[in-house]
């Protein structure tokens, strides 16, 4: 379903308040707005994508269709408003042909000042979906105000959600607040990855965003916190907030929450950590269950490659099969 037509603005999901971040740092909120930029809530400034994945019970149209569809995960619900949309999922995971690989796409050239984007992904009980992006997320220079993207991920009981977007690029002068909040049900698995790169390091000073503040939280339905991670840097985020990433062109984070023994998952990820000489990797277990890794490298390609190898090694533990190659889709 697409949010178009004269009544689109009346949908509460499209109001700026509904897509605003829950936590906006004071140093970002006080950045001056105005100028020639379109104000928040203007046409094209609020993007929404709300999707649901469910396990198919099979089709009754024919015995062959029933055998083909039974047990597959399908895109059972979709609501979108430009610039966000989801491309029709591919079933390109050779090891798990019933698992869709869904790509989020944007009709815009990048995230600009005043943009308020929200993505909601629900993977129902027993379903399994891989979600990625069609390309990089480009955070563009902002002369006034700031932009945001909020992502909510719900993973039902015994479901699997593997969230592995392409790289995020905070260009020089960009101002951005990002939130990823995931809730993981009992017996469920969540893989959550992110890669940041410095942008046009040859033209601008590396990591020279005006303000970048990204917060990731993973919890149980009852509120038990499994992981909380925050990345803050930029000239406008306050004194001492810039990250020390001299010599590193990219940084990646990978979280794995699953029913499999966390020590086994972490050890599998560590086994891939030293296979790339140009990256530095740290792997550890999470106090409330799960494993995570941080990867620093000279290029986003090398960091993403290391992240994929660790994801694949962990996947061998929690699913018994390797990870698919997403960038070849």
């Amino acid at each position: 379903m697409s949010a178009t037509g004269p009544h689109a603005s009346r949908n509460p999901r499209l109001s700026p308040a509904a897509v605003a971040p829950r936590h906006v740092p004071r140093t970002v909120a006080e950045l001056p707005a105005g100028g020639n930029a379109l104000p928040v809530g203007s046409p094209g400034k609020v993007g929404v994508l709300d999707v649901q994945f469910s396990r198919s019970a099979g089709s009754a149209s024919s015995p062959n269709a029933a055998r083909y569809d039974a047990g597959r995960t399908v895109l059972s619900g979709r609501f979108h408003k430009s610039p966000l949309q989801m491309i029709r999922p591919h079933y390109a995971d050779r090891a798990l042909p019933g698992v869709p690989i869904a790509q989020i796409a944007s009709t815009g050239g990048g995230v600009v000042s005043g943009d308020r984007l929200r993505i909601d992904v629900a993977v129902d009980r027993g379903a399994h979906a891989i979600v990625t992006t069609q390309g990089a997320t480009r955070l563009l220079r902002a002369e006034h105000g700031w932009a945001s993207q909020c992502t909510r991920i719900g993973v039902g009981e015994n479901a699997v959600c593997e969230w592995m977007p392409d790289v995020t690029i905070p260009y020089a002068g960009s101002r951005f607040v990002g939130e990823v909040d995931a809730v993981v049900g009992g017996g469920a698995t969540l893989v959550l990855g992110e890669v940041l790169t410095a942008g046009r390091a040859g033209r601008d000073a590396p990591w020279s965003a005006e303000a970048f503040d990204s917060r990731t939280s993973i919890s149980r339905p009852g509120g038990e916190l499994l992981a909380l991670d925050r990345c803050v840097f930029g000239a406008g985020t306050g004194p001492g907030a810039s990250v020390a990433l001299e010599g590193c062109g990219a940084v990646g984070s990978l979280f794995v929450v699953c029913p499999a023994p966390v020590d086994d998952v972490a050890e599998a990820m560590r086994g891939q950590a030293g296979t790339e000489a140009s990256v530095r990797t740290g792997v550890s277990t999470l106090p409330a269950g799960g494993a995570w890794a941080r990867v620093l490298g000279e290029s986003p390609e090398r960091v993403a490659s290391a992240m994929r190898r660790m994801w694949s090694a962990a996947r061998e533990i929690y699913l018994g099969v390797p990870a698919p190659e997403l960038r070849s889709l």
Side-chain angles (χ1 to χ4, degrees), residues 96-157:
L96 298 173
V99 174
I101 301 177
Q103 293 178 309
I104 297 173
S106 174
T107 58
V111 181
V112 299
S113 176
D115 282 358
R116 298 291 185 267
L117 308 177
R118 173 156 178 164
I119 300 171
D120 285 82
V121 176
V123 184
D124 291 345
R125 180 176 183 175
H128 182 176
I130 302 171
V131 183
T132 183
T133 55
Q134 190 181 38
T137 299
R138 294 174 171 82
L139 312 179
L140 305 182
R141 180 184 296 272
E143 299 294 338
H144 305 277
W146 47 276
S148 68
Q149 178 172 300
C150 301
T151 303
R152 316 291 185 220
I153 303 172
V155 192
E157 292 184 4

Side-chain angles (χ1 to χ4, degrees), residues 6 9 17 43 47 52 64 80 100 102 107 109 128 140 144 146 169 184 191-192 208 232 237 243-244 290 292 298 328:
S9 60
Q52 181 178 16
N64 288 335
H80 71 266
T107 58
H128 182 176
L140 305 182
H144 305 277
W146 47 276
I169 310 173
V184 186
V191 177
L192 195 156
S208 54
V232 179
T237 52
V243 292
W292 75 290
E298 62 185 23
S328 62

Side-chain angles (χ1 to χ4, degrees), residues 77-303:
R78 177 176 61 183
F79 175 93
H80 71 266
K81 180 185 179 297
S82 181
L84 294 175
Q85 59 181 301
M86 176 164 281
I87 299 172
R88 182 177 179 179
H90 301 274
Y91 290 85
D93 188 341
R94 295 183 179 180
L96 298 173
V99 174
I101 301 177
Q103 293 178 309
I104 297 173
S106 174
T107 58
V111 181
V112 299
S113 176
D115 282 358
R116 298 291 185 267
L117 308 177
R118 173 156 178 164
I119 300 171
D120 285 82
V121 176
V123 184
D124 291 345
R125 180 176 183 175
H128 182 176
I130 302 171
V131 183
T132 183
T133 55
Q134 190 181 38
T137 299
R138 294 174 171 82
L139 312 179
L140 305 182
R141 180 184 296 272
E143 299 294 338
H144 305 277
W146 47 276
S148 68
Q149 178 172 300
C150 301
T151 303
R152 316 291 185 220
I153 303 172
V155 192
E157 292 184 4
N158 302 317
V160 179
C161 179
E162 296 171 294
W163 174 268
M164 296 293 289
D166 203 349
V167 65
T168 296
I169 310 173
Y171 286 109
S174 59
R175 301 170 173 180
F176 179 76
V177 176
E179 288 183 348
V180 179
D181 292 306
V183 178
V184 186
T189 295
L190 170 70
V191 177
L192 195 156
E194 179 186 51
V195 177
L196 296 174
T197 188
R200 298 174 295 187
R203 175 175 175 177
D204 302 312
W207 306 106
S208 54
E210 178 70 13
F212 181 91
D213 195 308
S214 178
R215 174 190 176 101
T216 297
S217 69
I218 305 173
S219 61
R220 294 294 185 190
E224 178 188 9
L225 187 63
L226 301 179
L228 179 61
D229 187 39
R230 190 178 177 198
C231 178
V232 179
F233 62 90
T237 52
S242 295
V243 292
L245 289 173
E246 290 82 359
C248 295
V251 56
S253 303
L254 181 67
F255 295 87
V256 180
V257 176
C258 63
V262 295
D263 289 335
D264 293 349
V265 174
E267 190 60 32
M269 293 166 64
R270 286 193 192 98
Q272 298 298 319
T275 59
E276 182 75 57
S278 61
V279 301
R280 290 174 286 166
T281 304
V283 180
S284 182
T285 56
L286 297 170
W292 75 290
R294 189 87 79 202
V295 184
L296 300 177
E298 62 185 23
S299 71
E301 293 81 10
R302 294 186 183 276
V303 169

Side-chain angles (χ1 to χ4, degrees), residues 30-59:
E30 293 178 352
L31 289 170
N36 295 323
L38 289 173
V40 176
S42 299
K45 304 298 288 180
V46 175
V48 175
L49 178 65
D50 189 346
V51 294
Q52 181 178 16
F53 295 92
S54 304
R55 190 177 177 88
S56 173
S59 172

